[in-house]
Amino acid sequence: MQVLRAVVDHGSVSAAAGALGYTPSAVSQQVATLERETGTALLERIGRGVRPTAAGLLLARHAAAIDRQVAEAGAALADLRAGRSGSLTVRYFATAGAALVAPAVALFRREYPGVRLDLGLTDPADPLGEVQDGRADLAVVFRSEKTAPTGLRLVHLHDDPYRAVLPRGHRLAARRVLELTELADEPWVGAEPPGPCRSLVHEACDAAGFRPAIAVDGADYLTAQGFVAAGLGVSLLPELGLAQRHPGVTVRRVRGPEPVRTLHAAVREGAWGQPVLAALVAALRSAVGAAEAVETSSVLLGRGVVDSSGMRSPVRPPSRAAG
């Protein structure tokens, strides 16, 4: 059809052949093939040239429209590949939203303002399901397993350690690092629903030789801190869940063991090569790096220990008893 259009535009087979870089014979063969396929004459001879029949004019107009659509499709594809258009569906769990996803989205949008992001919380019971079946392009998840399910790629983002959260004035609050076994006889405040996060805490306690006695369950991390501040127990909360701290608690490192949840970006293997998806993963990593730099800077400014209230306490030589 594009060969026919060239003949119509140039007025002769030889002129069309010169414009297309074909031989006149090749152009004539293309037009003859199209006439056989359509079952109608498309050109008629006029002296040394040709003129299109009504059917020829009709197909030439459609060929021009097809050419415009192909060009538009190519431009749209180029915009999509370059990140000037398109959309990504992103899923994440609650504490990752404020700490990682929000700053990552801000970074990404500065570089790719034309890409629309559909953001939403993932299903805690099945955080990978939407990525596996194609309803989401990326999910921020935490997993203890190092291997990805078939068809998915897990990109490491951040190791989020759990911290001991104590009421201010607690007998252990003066310690900089606590052994997990030191919390064995304390009443505990639960902060997470049944699932992988709670299981991670229980597995750490099992490894330390005890099962925490839950005195009260908090609906979320901030509520759990409120219960701890009221003296109802102690808790283990991930660092990302402590971005907003209650003034009535003290936060300390814990070991023996130290529970750590590992955060990953989950994407489909087949989509991994997309430039905009790789750029979003890079933005998430940059957000993690910025958060870690702020945390390190806060510790350095505090000359050692930064209390939960934000007050800096002076450095004291560590005692052996303090661990």
Side-chain angles (χ1 to χ4, degrees):
M1 288 176 65
Q2 296 304 328
V3 169
L4 172 66
R5 177 189 170 202
V7 174
V8 171
D9 288 346
H10 290 87
S12 72
V13 170
S14 59
L20 295 173
Y22 295 166
T23 64
S25 175
V27 170
S28 297
Q29 289 176 9
Q30 290 285 333
V31 173
T33 299
L34 190 58
E35 287 180 327
R36 287 196 300 273
E37 290 175 348
T38 58
T40 186
L42 301 175
L43 298 174
E44 58 181 344
R45 286 198 169 276
I46 301 294
R48 294 184 177 181
V50 293
R51 70 180 177 189
T53 64
L57 283 174
L58 177 67
L59 286 185
R61 286 195 295 269
H62 278 286
I66 291 170
D67 191 46
R68 287 193 301 271
Q69 291 174 343
V70 169
E72 290 170 0
L77 182 60
D79 285 343
L80 183 66
R81 294 183 63 182
R84 294 186 291 267
S85 67
S87 65
L88 291 174
T89 300
V90 182
R91 296 292 179 256
Y92 54 90
F93 60 94
T95 50
L100 299 183
V101 177
V105 167
L107 287 171
F108 180 83
R109 281 184 171 165
R110 286 199 289 270
E111 188 72 21
Y112 298 96
V115 177
R116 184 176 64 85
L117 294 177
D118 175 9
L119 306 172
L121 291 174
T122 189
D123 180 2
D126 186 18
L128 298 178
E130 289 187 79
V131 179
Q132 287 175 308
D133 62 20
R135 287 177 292 143
D137 299 293
L138 180 149
V140 178
V141 300
F142 52 87
R143 290 178 63 82
S144 57
E145 301 92 338
K146 294 184 179 180
T147 57
T150 302
L152 294 184
R153 177 184 293 237
L154 295 179
V155 182
H156 179 265
L157 295 177
H158 180 58
D159 291 327
D160 189 21
Y162 277 71
R163 302 303 188 208
V165 182
L166 314 170
R168 292 184 69 84
H170 190 277
R171 62 183 178 84
L172 297 173
R175 302 276 296 279
R176 292 166 60 183
V177 182
L178 304 179
E179 298 293 335
L180 189 54
T181 53
E182 295 180 281
L183 303 177
D185 296 328
E186 299 283 339
W188 279 58
V189 173
E192 295 162 326
C197 283
R198 175 173 286 196
S199 296
L200 184 65
V201 171
H202 284 180
E203 288 168 6
C205 293
D206 287 343
F210 72 96
R211 176 56 63 105
I214 305 297
V216 60
D217 258 325
D220 52 57
Y221 294 140
L222 190 57
T223 302
Q225 291 183 64
F227 287 137
V228 172
L232 299 179
V234 301
S235 191
L236 282 186
L237 302 182
E239 277 193 341
L240 287 181
L242 291 166
Q244 187 177 1
R245 293 192 185 180
H246 193 290
V249 303
T250 297
V251 177
R252 293 291 180 257
R253 287 181 55 199
V254 66
R255 66 187 181 191
E258 176 189 64
V260 178
R261 63 180 186 178
T262 303
L263 275 58
H264 292 89
V267 299
R268 290 186 303 282
E269 282 285 2
W272 177 242
Q274 296 179 13
V276 289
L277 194 57
L280 182 57
V281 172
L284 285 165
R285 284 178 158 172
S286 294
V288 168
E292 290 173 345
V294 168
E295 181 183 350
T296 301
S297 176
S298 298
V299 172
L300 291 174
L301 287 173
R303 298 181 62 82
V305 180
V306 179
D307 208 341
S308 60
S309 64
M311 300 296 292
R312 297 194 293 270
S313 54
V315 172
R316 297 182 177 85
S319 67
R320 291 183 180 178

